[in-house]
PDB file of all heavy atoms in Angstrom:
ATOM      1  N   ARG A  61     -66.318 136.031 137.100  1.00 91.00           N
ATOM      2  CA  ARG A  61     -67.296 136.821 137.843  1.00 91.00           C
ATOM      3  C   ARG A  61     -66.728 137.021 139.233  1.00 91.00           C
ATOM      4  O   ARG A  61     -66.263 136.070 139.856  1.00 91.00           O
ATOM      5  CB  ARG A  61     -68.646 136.095 137.923  1.00 91.00           C
ATOM      6  CG  ARG A  61     -69.412 136.101 136.610  1.00 91.00           C
ATOM      7  CD  ARG A  61     -70.788 135.475 136.742  1.00 91.00           C
ATOM      8  NE  ARG A  61     -70.719 134.057 137.083  1.00 91.00           N
ATOM      9  CZ  ARG A  61     -71.278 133.517 138.167  1.00 91.00           C
ATOM     10  NH1 ARG A  61     -71.897 134.280 139.055  1.00 91.00           N
ATOM     11  NH2 ARG A  61     -71.188 132.224 138.382  1.00 91.00           N
ATOM     12  N   GLU A  62     -66.756 138.231 139.727  1.00 93.00           N
ATOM     13  CA  GLU A  62     -66.178 138.545 141.036  1.00 93.00           C
ATOM     14  C   GLU A  62     -67.210 139.211 141.937  1.00 93.00           C
ATOM     15  O   GLU A  62     -68.055 139.964 141.468  1.00 93.00           O
ATOM     16  CB  GLU A  62     -64.989 139.509 140.887  1.00 93.00           C
ATOM     17  CG  GLU A  62     -63.855 138.987 140.046  1.00 93.00           C
ATOM     18  CD  GLU A  62     -62.792 140.053 139.816  1.00 93.00           C
ATOM     19  OE1 GLU A  62     -62.747 141.034 140.591  1.00 93.00           O
ATOM     20  OE2 GLU A  62     -62.012 139.903 138.854  1.00 93.00           O
ATOM     21  N   VAL A  63     -67.112 138.910 143.225  1.00 95.00           N
ATOM     22  CA  VAL A  63     -67.888 139.634 144.228  1.00 95.00           C
ATOM     23  C   VAL A  63     -66.916 140.087 145.316  1.00 95.00           C
ATOM     24  O   VAL A  63     -65.968 139.376 145.641  1.00 95.00           O
ATOM     25  CB  VAL A  63     -69.010 138.764 144.851  1.00 95.00           C
ATOM     26  CG1 VAL A  63     -70.071 138.438 143.826  1.00 95.00           C
ATOM     27  CG2 VAL A  63     -68.459 137.501 145.465  1.00 95.00           C
ATOM     28  N   GLU A  64     -67.123 141.261 145.844  1.00 95.00           N
ATOM     29  CA  GLU A  64     -66.247 141.815 146.879  1.00 95.00           C
ATOM     30  C   GLU A  64     -66.784 141.449 148.258  1.00 95.00           C
ATOM     31  O   GLU A  64     -67.977 141.636 148.546  1.00 95.00           O
ATOM     32  CB  GLU A  64     -66.164 143.338 146.734  1.00 95.00           C
ATOM     33  CG  GLU A  64     -65.328 144.043 147.785  1.00 95.00           C
ATOM     34  CD  GLU A  64     -63.826 143.858 147.614  1.00 95.00           C
ATOM     35  OE1 GLU A  64     -63.396 143.310 146.572  1.00 95.00           O
ATOM     36  OE2 GLU A  64     -63.077 144.267 148.518  1.00 95.00           O
ATOM     37  N   TYR A  65     -65.910 140.902 149.107  1.00 94.00           N
ATOM     38  CA  TYR A  65     -66.306 140.598 150.483  1.00 94.00           C
ATOM     39  C   TYR A  65     -66.402 141.905 151.254  1.00 94.00           C
ATOM     40  O   TYR A  65     -65.473 142.711 151.259  1.00 94.00           O
ATOM     41  CB  TYR A  65     -65.286 139.661 151.140  1.00 94.00           C
ATOM     42  CG  TYR A  65     -65.579 139.407 152.602  1.00 94.00           C
ATOM     43  CD1 TYR A  65     -66.634 138.582 152.978  1.00 94.00           C
ATOM     44  CD2 TYR A  65     -64.833 140.026 153.603  1.00 94.00           C
ATOM     45  CE1 TYR A  65     -66.924 138.358 154.313  1.00 94.00           C
ATOM     46  CE2 TYR A  65     -65.113 139.806 154.934  1.00 94.00           C
ATOM     47  CZ  TYR A  65     -66.158 138.970 155.286  1.00 94.00           C
ATOM     48  OH  TYR A  65     -66.458 138.761 156.612  1.00 94.00           O
ATOM     49  N   ARG A  66     -67.540 142.132 151.932  1.00 92.00           N
ATOM     50  CA  ARG A  66     -67.756 143.394 152.651  1.00 92.00           C
ATOM     51  C   ARG A  66     -67.991 143.184 154.149  1.00 92.00           C
ATOM     52  O   ARG A  66     -68.382 144.106 154.850  1.00 92.00           O
ATOM     53  CB  ARG A  66     -68.942 144.150 152.045  1.00 92.00           C
ATOM     54  CG  ARG A  66     -68.731 144.451 150.563  1.00 92.00           C
ATOM     55  CD  ARG A  66     -69.666 145.507 150.042  1.00 92.00           C
ATOM     56  NE  ARG A  66     -69.468 145.753 148.619  1.00 92.00           N
ATOM     57  CZ  ARG A  66     -68.509 146.521 148.118  1.00 92.00           C
ATOM     58  NH1 ARG A  66     -67.661 147.112 148.925  1.00 92.00           N
ATOM     59  NH2 ARG A  66     -68.397 146.688 146.814  1.00 92.00           N
ATOM     60  N   GLY A  67     -67.750 141.979 154.634  1.00 89.00           N
ATOM     61  CA  GLY A  67     -67.941 141.711 156.053  1.00 89.00           C
ATOM     62  C   GLY A  67     -66.749 142.165 156.885  1.00 89.00           C
ATOM     63  O   GLY A  67     -65.808 142.799 156.386  1.00 89.00           O
ATOM     64  N   LYS A  68     -66.782 141.814 158.171  1.00 86.00           N
ATOM     65  CA  LYS A  68     -65.724 142.225 159.095  1.00 86.00           C
ATOM     66  C   LYS A  68     -64.891 141.053 159.590  1.00 86.00           C
ATOM     67  O   LYS A  68     -64.032 141.219 160.447  1.00 86.00           O
ATOM     68  CB  LYS A  68     -66.349 142.949 160.300  1.00 86.00           C
ATOM     69  CG  LYS A  68     -67.027 144.253 159.925  1.00 86.00           C
ATOM     70  CD  LYS A  68     -67.590 144.952 161.146  1.00 86.00           C
ATOM     71  CE  LYS A  68     -68.257 146.266 160.755  1.00 86.00           C
ATOM     72  NZ  LYS A  68     -68.832 146.975 161.927  1.00 86.00           N
ATOM     73  N   ASP A  69     -65.134 139.859 159.062  1.00 85.00           N
ATOM     74  CA  ASP A  69     -64.403 138.676 159.516  1.00 85.00           C
ATOM     75  C   ASP A  69     -63.960 137.849 158.307  1.00 85.00           C
ATOM     76  O   ASP A  69     -64.497 136.775 158.043  1.00 85.00           O
ATOM     77  CB  ASP A  69     -65.297 137.845 160.443  1.00 85.00           C
ATOM     78  CG  ASP A  69     -64.563 136.657 161.065  1.00 85.00           C
ATOM     79  OD1 ASP A  69     -63.323 136.593 160.966  1.00 85.00           O
ATOM     80  OD2 ASP A  69     -65.240 135.790 161.651  1.00 85.00           O
ATOM     81  N   PRO A  70     -62.962 138.342 157.545  1.00 88.00           N
ATOM     82  CA  PRO A  70     -62.539 137.604 156.351  1.00 88.00           C
ATOM     83  C   PRO A  70     -62.017 136.209 156.665  1.00 88.00           C
ATOM     84  O   PRO A  70     -62.223 135.280 155.883  1.00 88.00           O
ATOM     85  CB  PRO A  70     -61.447 138.493 155.743  1.00 88.00           C
ATOM     86  CG  PRO A  70     -61.015 139.399 156.838  1.00 88.00           C
ATOM     87  CD  PRO A  70     -62.206 139.589 157.716  1.00 88.00           C
ATOM     88  N   ALA A  71     -61.357 136.048 157.810  1.00 85.00           N
ATOM     89  CA  ALA A  71     -60.865 134.713 158.179  1.00 85.00           C
ATOM     90  C   ALA A  71     -62.034 133.755 158.389  1.00 85.00           C
ATOM     91  O   ALA A  71     -62.004 132.608 157.944  1.00 85.00           O
ATOM     92  CB  ALA A  71     -60.005 134.789 159.438  1.00 85.00           C
ATOM     93  N   GLY A  72     -63.071 134.229 159.080  1.00 84.00           N
ATOM     94  CA  GLY A  72     -64.260 133.406 159.286  1.00 84.00           C
ATOM     95  C   GLY A  72     -64.909 133.017 157.972  1.00 84.00           C
ATOM     96  O   GLY A  72     -65.380 131.886 157.804  1.00 84.00           O
ATOM     97  N   PHE A  73     -64.932 133.953 157.021  1.00 88.00           N
ATOM     98  CA  PHE A  73     -65.503 133.660 155.698  1.00 88.00           C
ATOM     99  C   PHE A  73     -64.702 132.571 154.995  1.00 88.00           C
ATOM    100  O   PHE A  73     -65.261 131.624 154.440  1.00 88.00           O
ATOM    101  CB  PHE A  73     -65.530 134.934 154.845  1.00 88.00           C
ATOM    102  CG  PHE A  73     -65.886 134.665 153.407  1.00 88.00           C
ATOM    103  CD1 PHE A  73     -67.211 134.484 153.035  1.00 88.00           C
ATOM    104  CD2 PHE A  73     -64.901 134.566 152.434  1.00 88.00           C
ATOM    105  CE1 PHE A  73     -67.547 134.204 151.708  1.00 88.00           C
ATOM    106  CE2 PHE A  73     -65.217 134.293 151.116  1.00 88.00           C
ATOM    107  CZ  PHE A  73     -66.546 134.116 150.750  1.00 88.00           C
ATOM    108  N   VAL A  74     -63.369 132.696 155.012  1.00 86.00           N
ATOM    109  CA  VAL A  74     -62.509 131.718 154.345  1.00 86.00           C
ATOM    110  C   VAL A  74     -62.659 130.342 154.982  1.00 86.00           C
ATOM    111  O   VAL A  74     -62.715 129.326 154.292  1.00 86.00           O
ATOM    112  CB  VAL A  74     -61.035 132.188 154.376  1.00 86.00           C
ATOM    113  CG1 VAL A  74     -60.101 131.084 153.894  1.00 86.00           C
ATOM    114  CG2 VAL A  74     -60.862 133.433 153.527  1.00 86.00           C
ATOM    115  N   ILE A  75     -62.740 130.315 156.314  1.00 82.00           N
ATOM    116  CA  ILE A  75     -62.921 129.043 157.020  1.00 82.00           C
ATOM    117  C   ILE A  75     -64.238 128.399 156.609  1.00 82.00           C
ATOM    118  O   ILE A  75     -64.298 127.216 156.274  1.00 82.00           O
ATOM    119  CB  ILE A  75     -62.865 129.258 158.543  1.00 82.00           C
ATOM    120  CG1 ILE A  75     -61.435 129.607 158.965  1.00 82.00           C
ATOM    121  CG2 ILE A  75     -63.349 128.022 159.292  1.00 82.00           C
ATOM    122  CD1 ILE A  75     -61.326 130.156 160.370  1.00 82.00           C
ATOM    123  N   SER A  76     -65.295 129.200 156.604  1.00 80.00           N
ATOM    124  CA  SER A  76     -66.607 128.686 156.239  1.00 80.00           C
ATOM    125  C   SER A  76     -66.624 128.173 154.798  1.00 80.00           C
ATOM    126  O   SER A  76     -67.235 127.151 154.502  1.00 80.00           O
ATOM    127  CB  SER A  76     -67.645 129.799 156.409  1.00 80.00           C
ATOM    128  OG  SER A  76     -68.906 129.378 155.949  1.00 80.00           O
ATOM    129  N   ALA A  77     -65.934 128.875 153.915  1.00 80.00           N
ATOM    130  CA  ALA A  77     -65.951 128.519 152.501  1.00 80.00           C
ATOM    131  C   ALA A  77     -65.056 127.327 152.166  1.00 80.00           C
ATOM    132  O   ALA A  77     -65.310 126.622 151.190  1.00 80.00           O
ATOM    133  CB  ALA A  77     -65.524 129.724 151.657  1.00 80.00           C
ATOM    134  N   ASN A  78     -64.033 127.092 152.974  1.00 76.00           N
ATOM    135  CA  ASN A  78     -63.025 126.099 152.583  1.00 76.00           C
ATOM    136  C   ASN A  78     -62.822 124.937 153.534  1.00 76.00           C
ATOM    137  O   ASN A  78     -62.689 123.801 153.094  1.00 76.00           O
ATOM    138  CB  ASN A  78     -61.665 126.791 152.402  1.00 76.00           C
ATOM    139  CG  ASN A  78     -61.632 127.662 151.187  1.00 76.00           C
ATOM    140  OD1 ASN A  78     -61.445 127.199 150.084  1.00 76.00           O
ATOM    141  ND2 ASN A  78     -61.836 128.955 151.402  1.00 76.00           N
ATOM    142  N   LEU A  79     -62.756 125.211 154.820  1.00 65.00           N
ATOM    143  CA  LEU A  79     -62.259 124.204 155.753  1.00 65.00           C
ATOM    144  C   LEU A  79     -63.100 122.939 155.761  1.00 65.00           C
ATOM    145  O   LEU A  79     -62.580 121.834 155.754  1.00 65.00           O
ATOM    146  CB  LEU A  79     -62.191 124.812 157.160  1.00 65.00           C
ATOM    147  CG  LEU A  79     -61.054 124.322 158.047  1.00 65.00           C
ATOM    148  CD1 LEU A  79     -59.710 124.459 157.353  1.00 65.00           C
ATOM    149  CD2 LEU A  79     -61.027 125.066 159.361  1.00 65.00           C
ATOM    150  N   ARG A  80     -64.410 123.086 155.786  1.00 58.00           N
ATOM    151  CA  ARG A  80     -65.275 121.908 155.909  1.00 58.00           C
ATOM    152  C   ARG A  80     -65.468 121.178 154.583  1.00 58.00           C
ATOM    153  O   ARG A  80     -65.874 120.031 154.572  1.00 58.00           O
ATOM    154  CB  ARG A  80     -66.643 122.333 156.468  1.00 58.00           C
ATOM    155  CG  ARG A  80     -66.599 122.828 157.905  1.00 58.00           C
ATOM    156  CD  ARG A  80     -66.081 121.742 158.839  1.00 58.00           C
ATOM    157  NE  ARG A  80     -66.087 122.186 160.214  1.00 58.00           N
ATOM    158  CZ  ARG A  80     -67.091 122.020 161.058  1.00 58.00           C
ATOM    159  NH1 ARG A  80     -68.193 121.427 160.668  1.00 58.00           N
ATOM    160  NH2 ARG A  80     -67.000 122.445 162.305  1.00 58.00           N
TER     161      ARG A  80
END
Side-chain angles (χ1 to χ4, degrees):
R61 286 185 296 122
E62 300 174 20
V63 293
E64 178 74 9
Y65 175 74
R66 302 196 181 279
K68 295 182 179 179
D69 185 12
F73 170 80
V74 171
I75 290 166
S76 175
N78 289 279
L79 214 53
R80 293 300 182 91

